[in-house]
């Protein structure tokens, strides 16, 4: 399993404008971005005791969470993802889902999973049974992504983070979401074995330090 380094920084609008100029000068835009950005909608799962949320808030070193996600309101490509974190490295596993399969999940019907062979789906099904994973909330945001081939670096600026509160109507693009408290902007820097100096220098912002910001936790604040 390939673990990647991951650092997050909570930044202000001035930082966003500075970073945008720097990153455009040294990195390539993600080919999937439309005019340099795309919209992301995720639906996060948790159990009845909010295990994933509590582990994040308590700073547990090893933690994992499941979510389903699509981009730019395109329901033709939806992924189930398992994101695992250990300290400041993480990994992600995923499996493609059809719109019909997602609707089955939302309806509580997991019978079709037995017809698929992906390990992540088997694990997800097992945890819906013995951990009682349930859909919790929708998380929407805008992402500006940049890539740098050396070190497999990916830098993103995320903003306009919105919560669906208790809404889990994931396939409905008209589902109402509202801004999270303080409307933060988040810089994420991810890389494999090493971070090239040119990128390390580009993302330096004075006294900014890595933080442990979680979009999922921020979107559960009103529960």
């Amino acid at each position: 399993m390939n673990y990647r380094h991951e650092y997050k920084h909570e930044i202000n609008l001035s930082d966003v404008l500075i970073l945008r100029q720097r990153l455009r000068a040294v990195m390539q835009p993600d080919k999937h971005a439309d005019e340099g950005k795309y919209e992301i909608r995720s639906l996060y799962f948790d159990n009845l005791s909010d295990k994933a949320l509590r582990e994040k808030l308590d700073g547990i070193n090893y933690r994992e969470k499941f979510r389903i996600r699509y981009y730019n309101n395109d329901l033709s490509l939806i992924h189930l993802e398992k994101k695992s974190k250990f300290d400041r490295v993480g990994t992600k596993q995923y499996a493609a889902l059809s719109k019909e399969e997602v609707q089955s999940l939302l309806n509580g019907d997991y019978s079709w999973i037995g017809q698929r062979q992906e390990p992540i789906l088997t694990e997800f099904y097992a945890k819906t049974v013995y951990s009682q994973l349930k859909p919790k909330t929708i998380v929407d945001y805008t992402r500006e992504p940049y890539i740098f081939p050396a070190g497999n670096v990916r830098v993103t600026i995320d903003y306009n983070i919105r919560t669906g509160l208790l809404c889990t109507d994931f396939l409905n693009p008209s589902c109402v979401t509202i801004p999270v408290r303080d409307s933060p902007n988040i810089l994420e820097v991810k890389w494999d074995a090493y971070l090239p100096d040119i990128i390390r220098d580009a993302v330096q912002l004075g006294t900014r330090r890595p933080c442990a910001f979680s979009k999922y936790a921020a979107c559960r604040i009103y529960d």
Side-chain angles (χ1 to χ4, degrees):
M1 191 175 296
N2 181 33
Y3 278 84
R4 283 166 58 77
H5 298 271
E6 179 177 325
Y7 278 71
K8 295 182 181 180
H9 306 258
E10 192 166 342
I11 59 178
N12 59 34
L13 180 57
S14 177
D15 296 329
V16 171
L17 298 176
I18 292 170
L19 284 167
R20 191 175 284 154
Q21 294 301 316
R22 291 180 184 175
L23 296 175
R24 287 175 179 174
V26 298
M27 301 185 74
Q28 305 168 12
D30 187 309
K31 64 181 181 181
H32 298 106
D34 181 14
E35 297 184 352
K37 62 186 179 181
Y38 48 70
E39 304 299 323
I40 296 177
R41 167 162 288 189
S42 301
L43 175 63
Y44 283 81
F45 291 75
D46 213 336
N47 67 8
L48 296 177
S49 60
D50 289 326
K51 179 176 181 289
L53 177 61
R54 295 301 171 191
E55 288 181 346
K56 176 62 181 180
L57 296 177
D58 293 342
I60 302 301
N61 258 351
Y62 178 81
R63 56 191 183 272
E64 63 183 39
K65 55 179 174 279
F66 286 90
R67 66 193 179 202
I68 50 179
R69 171 174 287 188
Y70 63 86
Y71 301 84
N72 289 331
N73 294 321
D74 181 5
L75 298 179
S76 67
L77 182 61
I78 309 173
H79 283 136
L80 169 70
E81 299 179 349
K82 175 192 174 185
K83 187 172 184 181
S84 305
K85 288 290 294 292
F86 180 74
D87 200 6
R88 292 197 181 277
V89 295
T91 188
K92 188 164 60 176
Q93 301 164 268
Y94 61 90
L97 300 178
S98 68
K99 184 169 65 173
E100 292 73 23
E101 288 169 337
V102 170
Q103 189 60 59
S104 292
L105 291 181
L106 299 181
N107 294 340
D109 176 12
Y110 300 88
S111 59
W112 56 270
I113 289 182
Q115 304 169 21
R116 304 273 300 267
Q117 300 300 314
E118 293 95 329
I120 181 179
L121 286 171
T122 301
E123 180 182 0
F124 177 70
Y125 173 69
K127 289 182 177 176
T128 61
V129 174
Y130 69 76
S131 294
Q132 296 185 303
L133 287 181
K134 301 290 183 184
K136 285 292 184 174
T137 191
I138 288 172
V139 176
D140 286 344
Y141 59 96
T142 303
R143 166 162 286 179
E144 289 186 27
Y146 302 87
I147 58 175
F148 193 82
N152 191 22
V153 180
R154 183 175 179 84
V155 178
T156 58
I157 302 172
D158 298 336
Y159 50 88
N160 192 28
I161 303 170
R162 303 174 65 84
T163 172
L165 300 175
L166 298 178
C167 175
T168 58
D169 195 5
F170 180 67
L171 298 178
N172 179 6
S174 300
C175 176
V176 175
T177 58
I178 64 171
V180 301
R181 188 174 62 188
D182 299 329
S183 190
N185 306 296
I186 304 299
L187 168 69
E188 295 189 11
V189 185
K190 301 178 184 178
W191 71 94
D192 287 347
Y194 68 98
L195 181 63
D197 288 343
I198 190 172
I199 306 302
R200 189 185 302 274
D201 291 343
V203 298
Q204 291 300 314
L205 290 168
T207 59
R208 294 281 186 265
R209 293 292 181 267
C211 66
F213 184 87
S214 165
K215 298 181 186 73
Y216 170 57
C219 287
R220 291 291 308 278
I221 195 68
Y222 299 114
D223 284 10

